[in-house]
Amino acid sequence: MTADVVIAGAGPNGLMLACELSLAGVRPIVLERLNGQTKENRANGLVGQVVRALDRRGLHERLSGSAEPPRPSPAFVFGAMPLDLGRLDDNPMYGLAVPQRRIEQVLEERALELGVEIRRGHELTGLSQDEDGVTAEIAGPEGPYRLRTRYLVGADGGRSVTRKLCGIGFPGVTRDDSVSRSAHITVPAELIDPATGGLNVPGYGPIPPFMHHRTDHGMLAFAPFPTGTLISTTEWSRNDGDDEPLTLDELRESIRRVLGVDLPFGPPEGPGPHQLRRLSGGNTRLAERFRDGRVLLLGDAAHVHSAIGGPGLNLGLQDALNLGWKLAAEIHGWAPPGLLDTYETERRPAAERVVMHTQAQSALIAPGPEVTALRVLFTELLRDERTTKHIADLMSGADIRYDLEGTHPLTGRPAPDLVLETETGSVRLAELTRTARPLLIDLTPDAALAGALDGWRDRVDLVTAKTAQEGLPTALLLRPDCYVAWASDSPNPDAKERDTLRTALASAFGPARPAESFGAPR
């Protein structure tokens, strides 16, 4: 085998998977058809539970430039309607305004630190597989060649070559009834509201920042990012075959149609790269299957949907976190039967939820008096805190619960943020999970569960600690993706409790091994 895993695609999802595999002692090779990082900025930040997930790999500090842990956002938007999240006791909506180019840069830097080989200018053109591995055919700068690998992962986007080579269907809906235009601009300082940072449009009124603003004729979003002010419009009309590049004058005309007035603005300042993009229509599609033998699909290769609400990176990066440790377990030989198949059974429902809520939001921003009436009703529903919490959980991905054995409310859900008191001092959970190792966190008074870990100490790390936080379990077993595989509230676990822990250990991390068989990971 040339490589344990070949990953087609060096976007955020492929790079995240490469980092996860490398942390688990697996040798990935990443292929990218582009010679350098793309200058196109497809996303302007991270939204949802993925912000916490990146914090638990030590990447939040690199992206934010601050050592402070992530904080929930006090407000967000659903279908161009504001969500007041500040009133929620448990707000799951985290946000981090970082351009996708920077996200890719940080993930590539981290991958290279971990020894990942990234081959730019190399494109997957064919593949064949057998019981032992996959033979990948590649077009490189010096001509075609082949790689032999145990597994191949397609992280090569919505037009995935990997998916097509495997003959995996991509059913869904293509729409051509909308046109979106977006560009970096400069706005006269006198039009900026100093209190909110929003726009005061002459003859129209205020437009809040970082919110979708719907009118009867379309939608507008104004986003004064630190890296540049971005404005975008969406109109419900066909793009009548105009393949010419977008111009600022065309954007001005679109804003006039959406708002009914002119917005004075100028070209962007600074070196760029600056966005100037027109998108027509959109796709909502879900792959028929995420796995074909030793080939798997990741991110947009497995699912595409509207970008409204910014769920794409939240979904794709968490796909990578879910797949990485399972693929490593298969390669190292300790995966319990069927573990790799749970990648699809766990992540497909998450993709289906994103497809559902982005389609719902698209319906809520459409033109027409009947939609306006629906929005009035929806605004009334959002006054109920329970409705706001339900939508926040949906958009952030916090409503996903994996189907794992166990009755504890936390089982199958992301681990809560913990501050633990250990022998070496106070430590956040996020500082303990940067190696991507499974953890048994034992908070019982006498570390009563430590002995139950015998037989899994080669795969699972033990943390014994205390905490002043209230309402927490006395013990948690965490998978490498920081989802709870088992939990207990008992301060003095009995033999039955230890047996359920051993069952959970075997279910997630394979059968126990005698201590003399332990060795360092490959």
Side-chain angles (χ1 to χ4, degrees), residues 110-255:
R110 180 57 174 150
L112 293 173
E113 289 172 6
L114 293 169
V116 174
E117 182 180 352
I118 302 173
R119 300 183 182 182
R120 291 195 172 272
H122 295 247
E123 182 177 7
L124 179 71
T125 58
L127 64 86
S128 60
Q129 59 177 310
D130 52 41
E131 292 183 358
D132 299 320
V134 181
T135 300
E137 298 178 16
I138 301 157
E142 298 179 1
Y145 67 97
R146 292 179 176 178
L147 276 179
R148 182 69 174 164
T149 179
R150 297 180 187 276
Y151 290 91
L152 188 144
V153 178
D156 45 355
R159 296 184 175 91
S160 171
V161 171
T162 308
R163 187 186 64 242
K164 294 173 183 176
L165 289 171
C166 289
I168 298 175
F170 205 35
V173 177
T174 297
R175 300 186 62 176
D176 62 356
D177 58 352
S178 66
V179 180
S180 297
R181 300 172 175 88
S182 59
H184 282 106
I185 61 169
T186 54
V187 178
E190 61 269 19
L191 300 186
I192 304 298
D193 185 334
T196 66
L199 268 178
N200 285 319
V201 181
Y204 184 85
I207 294 178
F210 303 107
M211 298 282 183
H212 294 114
H213 182 78
R214 176 190 178 269
T215 74
D216 286 338
H217 306 287
M219 190 170 67
L220 183 141
F222 171 71
F225 290 109
T227 54
T229 297
L230 187 70
I231 196 162
S232 62
T233 64
T234 301
E235 294 182 83
W236 282 266
S237 61
R238 296 172 61 95
N239 179 23
D240 297 326
D242 186 4
D243 295 326
E244 294 297 317
L246 176 68
T247 65
L248 291 182
D249 283 340
E250 180 184 334
L251 180 61
R252 285 190 179 92
E253 294 170 2
S254 177
I255 293 173

